Amino acid sequence: LVYQKSIKPYFSNDDDFNWNHGIACAAAGDYKEGREALLQIQNESYRADFCYVSWLSRCYIMSGEPALAWETYSKMDTNNESFNLLHLIANDCYKMGQFYYACQAFDVLERLDPDPEFWEGKRGAAIGVFQQVIANKESVDKLQEVVFLLRNTGSNPQVDYMVNRVMKKWAKENGIRLES
């Protein structure tokens, strides 16, 4: 990376350099630099490559912009690559404490594949959103959306407990109206 950074000014418009530099920076944990390099790529075949899309999405998430990663997923056709990107978004957002987007991603994953792991991720992310709302780090509107996502899970006694006995009880005690 030291060498790449030293020659970067001479290759700012070179897609091959930006591809290699962006992925190398991201893989080394310099997500801001990785994102900048990847966004400079103009070649549409590079930009359509799943490797590019997944690394750019990871850079967005690790840089605190999960909405951009979610937007990237939303523009994709439904296929194995979109499923894999969804998995990356769910896990990276969860790891970074971006629970709202993690919950959305785990919700879609759970609907596509009823693997219990996806329910557990969704449940954990929902509780993370709830915790952030209590700490005034997330809006009540996001909690409302999470309640709707939980209600769409199907017949699961854990959903009733989480929503009715925990979230709605807290909301009522704090003068907040949650619909379910």
Side-chain angles (χ1 to χ4, degrees):
L1 284 177
V2 173
Y3 173 71
Q4 281 186 342
K5 288 181 181 184
S6 72
I7 63 170
K8 180 181 169 189
Y10 305 104
F11 290 96
S12 62
N13 294 322
D14 186 299
D15 283 347
D16 293 329
F17 175 81
N18 286 322
W19 171 275
N20 290 324
H21 185 63
I23 292 174
C25 287
D30 187 353
Y31 298 106
K32 185 176 184 252
E33 179 81 20
R35 174 187 171 197
E36 290 172 9
L38 290 171
L39 288 174
Q40 288 180 351
I41 294 173
Q42 300 299 313
N43 185 321
E44 285 303 318
S45 65
Y46 279 172
R47 294 173 72 96
D49 189 286
F50 180 70
C51 185
Y52 171 88
V53 171
S54 61
W55 275 109
L56 182 60
S57 294
R58 175 163 279 159
C59 287
Y60 286 146
I61 293 164
M62 298 302 183
S63 300
E65 297 182 295
L68 294 174
W70 186 254
E71 184 181 321
T72 301
Y73 160 74
S74 299
K75 292 177 182 176
M76 291 182 77
D77 294 330
T78 303
N79 56 32
N80 284 342
E81 288 181 349
S82 65
F83 184 84
N84 291 337
L85 182 62
L86 201 53
H87 209 273
L88 179 140
I89 291 170
N91 288 303
D92 280 3
C93 283
Y94 194 99
K95 180 170 68 174
M96 294 301 294
Q98 299 159 343
F99 296 115
Y100 173 71
Y101 290 99
C103 191
Q104 283 188 308
F106 279 121
D107 179 64
V108 175
L109 286 167
E110 182 187 34
R111 284 187 272 133
L112 294 172
D113 178 6
D115 185 333
E117 180 182 309
F118 298 142
W119 160 245
E120 291 169 13
K122 180 177 167 180
R123 179 182 62 193
I127 294 301
V129 170
F130 180 56
Q131 180 183 19
Q132 288 174 333
V133 169
I134 291 170
N136 290 318
K137 293 182 179 179
E138 191 63 83
S139 72
V140 174
D141 293 339
K142 296 280 169 74
L143 180 61
Q144 182 64 69
E145 290 180 47
V146 166
V147 167
F148 287 133
L149 292 177
L150 290 170
R151 288 288 186 207
N152 289 333
T153 297
S155 62
N156 187 325
Q158 292 178 358
V159 170
D160 287 332
Y161 182 81
M162 286 172 57
V163 172
N164 293 331
R165 294 193 182 180
V166 178
M167 293 177 180
K168 288 186 93 173
K169 180 182 175 192
W170 174 85
K172 185 177 180 181
E173 290 171 357
N174 288 277
I176 299 168
R177 184 165 187 265
L178 275 184
E179 298 177 25
S180 57

